[in-house]
Amino acid sequence: MGILGWTWLIVGLSFALYIGIAIWAKAKSTGDFYVAEKSIHPVLNGMATGADWMSAASFISMAGLISFLGRDGSMYLMGWTGGYVLLAVLLAPYLRKYGKFTVPQFVGDRYYSNAARIVALLCAIFVSFTYVAGQMRGVGIVFSRFLETSINMGVVFGMALVFFYAVLGGMKGITYTQVAQYCVLIVAYLLPAIFISIMLTGNPIPQLGYGSTVSPGGSEILGVPAGTYLLQALDNVQKDLGFPAYTSGIKSSIDVFMITFALMVGTAGLPHIIIRFFTVPKIRDARSSAGWALVFIAILYTTAPAVSVFAKSNFIQTINNKPYASAPQWFKDWEKTKLVAWTDKNGDGIMNYAPGVAKVPTSKNEIHVDNDIMVLANPQIAKLPAWVVALVAAGGLAAALSTAAGLLLVISAAISHDLMKGVLKPDMTEKQELMWARGAAGVAVLIAGYFGINPPGFVAQVVAFAFGLAASSFFPVIIMGIFWRRATKEGAMAGMATGIVFTASYIIYFKFMNPAMNIPAHWWFGISPEGIGTVGMLLNFAVLTAVSLATKEPPREVQDMVRSLRYPKEAEHPAVVPMAKAGSGR
């Protein structure tokens, strides 16, 4: 059976599993739909959180980014992993003790203001749509390559599946589906890495293999002397081709720091991750599930640098300085998706890989390759069996769909629970609210599909922006809401508005309005659009603090609620102050 047959079989089985789980776990109440009735075991919640967090960007794009950025790509590993530590220590147990459904609801109650709640829900929707666009694009890429459809048709397939299990099952269905998706994606990620590590170095542990020496078998594949360290061999090849050494970087230290920090605090502020900690029974379960999530995430994240080294080594070896007439099959297959391309600039029929953009006529580089294909193409480049190639496709789909579902639930909850139930129609019944939640999820799927078909950037780039926006909007408001009783509603709204407007404006200007200016010489203090979320976050903190000190302090009930949040005990009653009561107390 060929790759196409295996892909249809494995992807079809995995989709049948997801649909079966959605039917089994159909939500029957708003508690089921929003927080799975707070009944999820912390280990399962950790696994679901891992799948929710390890999106198309982590599975499909991250190793590709590291492959082409070398040392600079490590900021994605450090930022996203560090963010989880931050989340586990600073946020998870306190938000779980708060005990309600959504982050905008926390903001609305903590800051005793429906206006603050609306600002927060607008931020949640904006961040979620920005993030989900990358996921749907990732789904389209996988479908187009492995199931031989167009990218747009792949996005439509992904929309249909997510629509089914997100709308039907809500958080309960999504959680158990994400557990299954984690199992699929982690096996799909590890298996090829183990195979290739054995082929190149003889070491079955990829995390050790990419730092090992090339084996005699690997020497025949890569054309370097056996006994050479694999990283040293890749450094030498890169320098021979005119690139910086793989283990060096070209980004400034301040930009690497800013991007890493934006990714870190952006992770801690992402609404679809935070909402997962409302699904466990007890406060200590929130911290426990954050720890389990870190373990499950670390399995993939420690493998990614190895995958990037294996993929880059094999990629260069199989195409550089080779006649196009005898190009490997993987190159021909991916050419159909237009994610790789060759332009014979000097007319010699030889594929030359060099620094520069292939589409620029003056560049010597003749090969265009999209970062997003490296993980998906890696097994085929290494000539692994067809079923392994198909398994990676199923893993990529699992990663993208799991995160998309979590984000769509955030959007759905923001509309039905925060806007309709919380502000516009507080007297609506539970049945009506559930209907609104499902309707909002359906509309959100359609909008997400549009952004997937018309993405504003490649997958990881879009996701990096989402993290920056989350860092500049949510993180300061949540942290100050938990740890500073003096933070006021005026300060929160002013901080969120300042942070997200500043960050979004900077990104939109350099990426979409004036891309020609998007170079270090024109960046503010040398900070790229990917790292500007850190500055937006600092502005948010500063504005929130200044405005809070200049306005009347919060009502006593709110300050008592904030004080109680910091005690790691289970509350007899949710630590929430009704807004009407809080308002009357002022």
Side-chain angles (χ1 to χ4, degrees):
M1 191 183 298
I3 293 175
L4 183 61
W6 276 111
T7 305
W8 277 111
L9 177 64
I10 295 177
V11 170
L13 288 174
S14 65
F15 278 21
L17 176 63
Y18 307 152
I19 291 171
I21 291 173
I23 295 172
W24 168 73
K26 179 182 177 182
K28 298 181 178 63
S29 64
T30 52
D32 265 348
F33 196 89
Y34 294 136
V35 291
E37 291 292 3
K38 301 178 184 176
S39 60
I40 306 300
H41 190 279
V43 176
L44 294 181
N45 195 49
M47 199 176 288
T49 306
D52 208 348
W53 186 52
M54 289 189 294
S55 59
S58 293
F59 189 98
I60 297 175
S61 295
M62 187 172 63
L65 281 168
I66 299 172
S67 282
F68 289 98
L69 294 176
R71 184 210 65 179
D72 290 343
S74 63
M75 58 195 173
Y76 290 93
L77 285 172
M78 294 186 292
W80 289 339
T81 309
Y84 239 90
V85 176
L86 201 63
L87 181 67
V89 173
L90 287 184
L91 300 180
Y94 307 111
L95 289 174
R96 174 60 187 84
K97 184 174 181 180
Y98 165 68
K100 290 291 183 177
F101 291 155
T102 67
V103 173
Q105 190 177 13
F106 168 77
V107 173
D109 287 347
R110 164 59 184 85
Y111 293 103
Y112 48 99
S113 165
N114 274 336
R117 186 172 184 171
I118 290 174
V119 172
L121 80 88
L122 290 175
C123 291
I125 291 173
F126 185 43
V127 170
S128 298
F129 271 126
T130 305
Y131 198 13
V132 80
Q135 310 312 310
M136 299 312 295
R137 186 68 177 176
V139 171
I141 290 171
V142 175
F143 267 103
S144 68
R145 163 60 191 92
F146 293 102
L147 297 177
E148 299 187 0
T149 66
S150 67
I151 290 180
N152 293 351
M153 185 57 68
V155 172
V156 173
F157 282 145
M159 288 167 56
L161 183 64
V162 170
F163 179 85
F164 182 82
Y165 71 76
V167 172
L168 187 68
M171 179 57 90
K172 185 178 178 184
I174 286 172
T175 298
Y176 290 111
T177 305
Q178 286 174 336
V179 170
Q181 287 167 334
Y182 177 82
C183 296
V184 172
L185 74 88
I186 200 66
V187 172
Y189 205 84
L190 284 178
L191 204 59
I194 292 171
F195 280 166
I196 299 172
S197 184
I198 293 172
M199 289 168 59
L200 298 183
T201 67
N203 194 323
I205 303 174
Q207 292 87 341
L208 300 177
Y210 85 102
S212 302
T213 55
V214 176
S215 65
S219 174
E220 294 180 11
I221 295 171
L222 299 178
V224 299
T228 307
Y229 281 100
L230 184 57
L231 280 171
Q232 183 62 54
L234 184 54
D235 272 353
N236 294 340
V237 170
Q238 292 243 133
K239 288 190 285 188
D240 289 345
L241 294 176
F243 293 95
Y246 185 82
T247 52
S248 68
I250 59 173
K251 281 186 172 293
S252 66
S253 297
I254 186 172
D255 198 28
V256 170
F257 175 80
M258 287 293 183
I259 295 173
T260 301
F261 203 81
L263 293 170
M264 185 182 296
V265 296
T267 297
L270 277 177
H272 73 294
I273 298 300
I274 290 175
I275 200 173
R276 287 230 54 87
F277 296 103
F278 295 108
T279 66
V280 291
K282 300 177 181 177
I283 296 171
R284 66 171 180 268
D285 294 337
R287 197 185 294 273
S288 173
S289 62
W292 279 109
L294 193 59
V295 171
F296 292 126
I297 290 165
I299 296 172
L300 187 144
Y301 268 53
T302 55
T303 309
V307 171
S308 63
V309 170
F310 300 153
K312 189 67 177 289
S313 300
N314 281 328
F315 166 76
I316 294 175
Q317 177 61 27
T318 53
I319 63 163
N320 182 53
N321 205 28
K322 306 289 183 187
Y324 179 74
S326 59
Q329 187 59 44
W330 73 264
F331 193 87
K332 298 287 187 182
D333 289 341
W334 279 97
E335 266 191 317
K336 297 172 187 173
T337 68
K338 300 181 181 178
L339 295 174
V340 296
W342 171 66
T343 304
D344 191 7
K345 293 179 179 177
N346 56 11
D348 63 355
I350 302 295
M351 298 187 291
N352 293 307
Y353 182 57
V357 179
K359 296 176 181 175
V360 175
T362 54
S363 166
K364 293 182 179 179
N365 184 26
E366 297 180 337
I367 299 170
H368 164 73
V369 56
D370 193 300
N371 296 348
D372 291 343
I373 78 161
M374 292 305 285
V375 169
L376 299 173
N378 191 34
Q380 197 177 5
I381 296 174
K383 299 179 181 178
L384 296 183
W387 65 270
V388 178
V389 179
L391 185 61
V392 173
L397 288 171
L401 292 172
S402 61
T403 303
L407 291 163
L408 291 171
L409 190 70
V410 169
I411 297 169
S412 166
I415 298 296
S416 62
H417 192 66
D418 293 305
L419 182 62
M420 298 306 299
K421 177 73 174 179
V423 179
L424 299 180
K425 295 182 68 176
D427 57 344
M428 70 163 54
T429 65
E430 186 175 6
K431 185 177 180 181
Q432 288 173 321
E433 187 182 350
L434 195 57
M435 184 183 69
W436 269 99
R438 288 189 162 127
V443 174
V445 169
L446 295 176
I447 298 174
Y450 172 80
F451 284 127
I453 292 171
N454 303 282
F458 68 84
V459 173
Q461 196 176 39
V462 172
V463 171
F465 292 164
F467 278 74
L469 295 175
S472 64
S473 57
F474 278 127
F475 185 73
V477 172
I478 296 172
I479 287 292
M480 298 295 263
I482 294 172
F483 293 101
W484 192 38
R485 286 180 290 159
R486 188 65 177 77
T488 67
K489 63 180 180 182
E490 294 85 357
M493 287 187 286
M496 281 192 290
T498 302
I500 202 163
V501 168
F502 169 80
T503 304
S505 300
Y506 193 89
I507 291 171
I508 291 169
Y509 175 77
F510 282 112
K511 285 294 181 180
F512 307 112
M513 293 179 61
N514 202 349
M517 298 283 284
N518 190 21
I519 55 176
H522 296 123
W523 294 339
W524 200 40
F525 295 112
I527 302 169
S528 65
E530 289 82 357
I532 201 65
T534 301
V535 180
M537 177 203 67
L538 295 174
L539 285 174
N540 189 335
F541 269 120
V543 171
L544 190 158
T545 303
V547 174
S548 293
L549 291 174
T551 50
K552 188 176 180 180
E553 68 179 27
R556 177 59 55 192
E557 297 90 343
V558 172
Q559 296 192 46
D560 290 343
M561 182 266 281
V562 175
R563 187 183 296 110
S564 72
L565 275 179
R566 298 202 294 271
Y567 289 98
K569 293 181 179 179
E570 205 73 46
E572 293 182 4
H573 304 289
V576 176
V577 176
M579 279 178 280
K581 183 179 178 182
S584 65
R586 296 195 65 195

